[in-house]
Amino acid sequence: DSGVTQTPKHLITATGQRVTLRCSPRSGDLSVYWYQQSLDQGLQFLIQYYNGEERAKGNILERFSAQQFPDLHSELNLSSLELGDSALYFCASSVRAVAGRNTGELFFGEGSRLTVL
Amino acid sequence: DQQVKQNSPSLSVQEGRISILNCDYTNSMFDYFLWYKKYPAEGPTFLISISSIKDKNEDGRFTVFLNKSAKHPSLHIVPSQPGDSAVYFCAASVLYNAGNMLTFGGGTRLMVKP
């Protein structure tokens, strides 16, 4: 158990709809990351939040948005869904980078599997 | 532009033998190289990492090597066990003030046969 909690585990919806995926990071972690894994491919970085603020952005579509709340949980909002958005969405968290102790490790949740029909 | 590549999508090894999983990268700015293991229906779990200034890191049956001149990290598992069967992702990390940016390879599915 990584300590990162994601809900829902599975979600089936139709094209054009909007969904929200939720992530609770490990206790004490300030950074939350969202990754997308499509069709047994590698994980693609979407976006990172640190203590409520957006800190890094990857190849995230304009139809997607995220936020991190004061209690540090994060939500990923996916709108105007298309068939190609079907994927596993992973949330990960990490401690703030501390020189000499941070190896770059991220702790991943079990993912939310989104199916768009 | 794939900055981290795993050119072997699958690898089959006999139990007790060595498994060698390979990775290649293009960005010289990466600080760490990490290996994650992923079982179906689970999230990736961290296995082992190596700093860009080292050439070897060992943890039990798992050893990660870094050939920096060739931009080539590799993971050795010896002896391989059936429970090692999973998808292994190579990842490269850039550390910055607020955290780490991980770039993942496409993964290699390892099958260890009894």
Side-chain angles (χ1 to χ4, degrees):
Chain A
D1 182 6
S2 67
V4 178
T5 304
Q6 288 188 248
T7 57
K9 288 195 181 338
H10 301 277
L11 190 54
I12 301 174
T13 188
T15 54
Q17 294 299 304
R18 181 180 188 274
V19 298
T20 297
L21 309 180
R22 181 189 167 103
C23 170
S24 294
R26 291 188 321 157
S27 177
D29 283 357
L30 299 178
S31 279
V32 170
Y33 306 75
W34 287 96
Y35 282 82
Q36 179 192 54
Q37 185 187 20
S38 303
L39 294 170
D40 288 329
Q41 295 180 5
L43 285 78
Q44 300 295 320
F45 171 69
L46 294 178
I47 197 164
Q48 181 219 350
Y49 278 82
Y50 173 74
N51 204 21
E53 293 187 4
E54 181 186 308
R55 280 302 179 99
K57 214 167 185 176
N59 296 325
I60 187 168
L61 299 172
E62 286 191 9
R63 300 183 285 110
F64 296 0
S65 64
Q67 54 184 326
Q68 186 180 28
F69 294 87
D71 67 353
L72 301 178
H73 91 271
S74 177
E75 292 181 356
L76 179 66
N77 300 297
L78 315 174
S79 62
S80 302
L81 286 168
E82 302 175 359
L83 296 177
D85 297 328
S86 296
L88 264 170
Y89 291 85
F90 288 103
C91 169
S93 71
S94 75
V95 300
R96 184 171 183 264
V98 176
R101 289 197 281 129
N102 191 321
T103 65
E105 179 182 354
L106 297 186
F107 297 87
F108 283 83
E110 294 187 347
S112 293
R113 181 174 292 281
L114 172 66
T115 302
V116 182
L117 300 176
Chain B
D1 175 27
Q2 273 189 289
Q3 296 188 60
V4 178
K5 285 185 183 178
Q6 293 175 257
N7 291 319
S8 298
S10 65
L11 174 68
S12 183
V13 170
Q14 205 66 36
E15 180 180 5
R17 306 297 292 269
I18 185 170
S19 295
I20 300 176
L21 295 101
N22 293 306
C23 181
D24 295 287
Y25 65 93
T26 57
N27 186 347
S28 299
M29 301 302 291
F30 289 130
D31 298 296
Y32 279 90
F33 300 91
L34 304 89
W35 288 90
Y36 280 79
K37 180 178 179 180
K38 185 180 180 303
Y39 293 116
E42 294 184 9
T45 55
F46 172 74
L47 196 55
I48 191 169
S49 67
I50 186 168
S51 165
S52 60
I53 62 172
K54 305 279 188 184
D55 56 18
K56 179 182 175 181
N57 185 28
E58 199 169 346
D59 183 4
R61 296 185 298 112
F62 302 92
T63 302
V64 57
F65 294 92
L66 178 60
N67 182 334
K68 201 166 181 180
S69 61
K71 294 189 172 68
H72 180 78
S74 60
L75 174 67
H76 294 210
I77 306 173
V78 56
S80 301
Q81 299 174 354
D84 295 331
S85 297
V87 177
Y88 289 79
F89 289 100
C90 172
S93 172
V94 174
L95 302 185
Y96 52 99
N97 193 39
N100 331 300
M101 175 90 71
L102 285 190
T103 302
F104 284 84
T108 296
R109 183 178 302 277
L110 174 66
M111 293 162 284
V112 180
K113 297 179 179 178

